[in-house]
Amino acid sequence: MSGILAIHTGGTITMSDGPNGLGTMAGLIEAAFDRISPAAVRLNVISFDPLVDSADIGPDHWNRLIDLIGSQPNDGVVITHGTDTMPFTGAALSFALEGIKTPVILTGSMQPLGVGPHAEENLRFALQMAEQGPPGVWLAFDGKLMCARSLVKYHSIGPSSFRESEVEGWAQRAARLSPRHFLPRRLAILTLSPGICVSAVDSALRELDGAVVRVFGAGTLMHDPELLRTFSAAISRGCRLVAVSSCEAGGLLPGAYAAGAALWESGIENGGKLTPEAALVRLWLELSG
C-alpha cells in the first residue's frame, strides 16, 4: 500500500461563490480525496489553516511545504495549489528539494470542484503520478506531467493553462536530498520597457538585495548610459542582478547583438533560458546561503 502525503494550500480548486467573487472553502478537498482516492493508497491529508489564495503565496509558505514534505513519511506527495503563482512554487520546490527520490506532484484547477470534470480529473492524475511517477517536482495538469522548474502559465482561464519552457539543466542533479530554505531577502522581477523611468529603476534597486531583469529578445536593451550606470552602481553596492529574456523561449545569447554588449559589461549575470520565476527562486536560494 502506497503512502501519499496530500497538502492542500488553497486555490480555485476548492473555491465557491461569495459576495466578492470566488473564495476558498475549507473541507472540500478532504471530501474529494475521500471520493477519488484508490483503495490501494493510504492518504494523509494536511490542509493549510487558513487556506491561502495563490496570490498570497510566498517564501514562508514554500518553507512550510518543504518542512512538511521532510517531516511526514511518504512514498509520494500531492500539493494542491492555486494556478496564478504555480510557476513560482514549482520552481521553489524544484530547486529547494533537488535530489528528492520520490515524486512531488503539484496540481490545481481552473474551475472549482463540482464545476465540470477538470478539477477531479487533475486530482486523479496527480494521485496516480504521486504513486507511479518519476522522482522530482512536477505539475500534473490537464493530462500532462510537466517539469515544475520550467512552468509558464500562458492562459488565464483555459483548462490547459500551462506549458513547459525550455530550461537548461532542469534535471535533478543532486546525488542526495539536502532541503534548502528561503531566508528573508528583498527581491523582485523588473521588466524593461521602452522609455522606462530610470530613476524609478534606481529607486527600486536601492531597496533590493537582488533582482531579475527581463531584457529584450536574446539579450538587448535600450542605449541609455544612465540605465547602465544604474545597473553597475547597484552591482557595486552588492545587489545581485540576473538577466532573463522577455521571450518565453530561446533564452539569452551574449555577444549575439551589439545592442546587448553594454548589458554584460555592466556586470549583470546571464540567466540563460531560465524563466523569470525560476531565476528569482534560484537567486533567492543563493542569497539565503
Side-chain angles (χ1 to χ4, degrees):
M1 178 176 286
S2 299
I4 303 299
L5 171 64
I7 306 172
H8 179 45
T9 65
T12 300
I13 195 167
T14 56
M15 286 187 175
S16 60
D17 281 318
N20 297 315
L22 289 173
T24 53
M25 178 173 288
L28 295 182
I29 202 72
E30 291 84 354
F33 276 128
D34 283 344
R35 189 167 60 251
I36 68 174
S37 179
V41 171
R42 185 179 71 256
L43 200 62
N44 175 24
V45 182
I46 298 175
S47 293
F48 279 18
D49 184 15
L51 297 174
V52 185
D53 189 289
S54 70
D56 290 319
I57 290 282
D60 288 344
H61 302 99
W62 301 337
N63 287 337
R64 184 176 176 189
L65 289 170
I66 293 162
D67 289 339
L68 282 171
I69 292 167
S71 65
Q72 304 288 322
N74 65 79
D75 300 308
V77 179
V78 172
I79 300 171
T80 45
H81 191 289
T83 61
D84 285 343
T85 57
M86 189 79 81
F88 288 97
T89 297
L93 297 181
S94 182
F95 279 108
L97 296 174
E98 194 166 46
I100 194 165
K101 304 304 182 186
T102 54
V104 175
I105 311 296
L106 287 154
T107 195
S109 176
M110 302 304 294
Q111 294 179 321
L113 285 159
V115 181
H118 189 242
E120 281 204 6
E121 288 174 356
N122 283 352
L123 280 183
R124 290 182 192 276
F125 183 44
L127 281 171
Q128 178 187 354
M129 291 298 99
E131 188 180 12
Q132 305 171 6
V137 184
W138 307 88
L139 172 68
F141 208 89
D142 199 39
K144 298 186 289 291
L145 189 67
M146 293 167 271
C147 170
R149 184 172 298 191
S150 58
L151 296 175
V152 174
K153 186 180 181 184
Y154 71 94
H155 202 293
S156 63
I157 57 175
S160 183
S161 298
F162 293 94
R163 56 182 171 227
E164 287 178 299
S165 176
E166 48 176 345
V167 173
E168 298 168 314
W170 63 262
Q172 298 288 338
R173 292 171 295 177
R176 61 183 180 83
L177 175 63
S178 180
R180 303 164 70 188
H181 290 80
F182 297 84
L183 298 183
R185 297 292 183 264
R186 301 172 302 167
L187 299 175
I189 297 173
L190 305 179
T191 300
L192 295 187
S193 58
I196 193 168
C197 177
V198 177
S199 62
V201 174
D202 180 59
S203 295
L205 292 178
R206 289 181 182 277
E207 297 296 323
L208 297 174
D209 300 311
V212 174
V213 183
R214 299 178 74 228
V215 299
F216 306 136
T220 65
L221 77 171
M222 61 285 288
H223 181 67
D224 187 332
E226 184 181 356
L227 179 62
L228 292 168
R229 283 195 295 270
T230 295
F231 286 158
S232 295
I235 293 168
S236 296
R237 293 193 302 268
C239 180
R240 289 273 304 275
L241 300 183
V242 178
V244 297
S245 177
S246 294
C247 300
E248 185 177 314
L252 301 181
L253 297 172
Y257 291 93
L263 176 69
W264 309 114
E265 291 170 2
S266 72
I268 198 166
E269 301 169 36
N270 180 7
K273 293 182 179 180
L274 288 175
T275 63
E277 296 92 341
L280 181 75
V281 161
R282 189 178 71 175
L283 180 59
W284 206 309
L285 283 173
E286 289 175 356
L287 290 175
S288 297

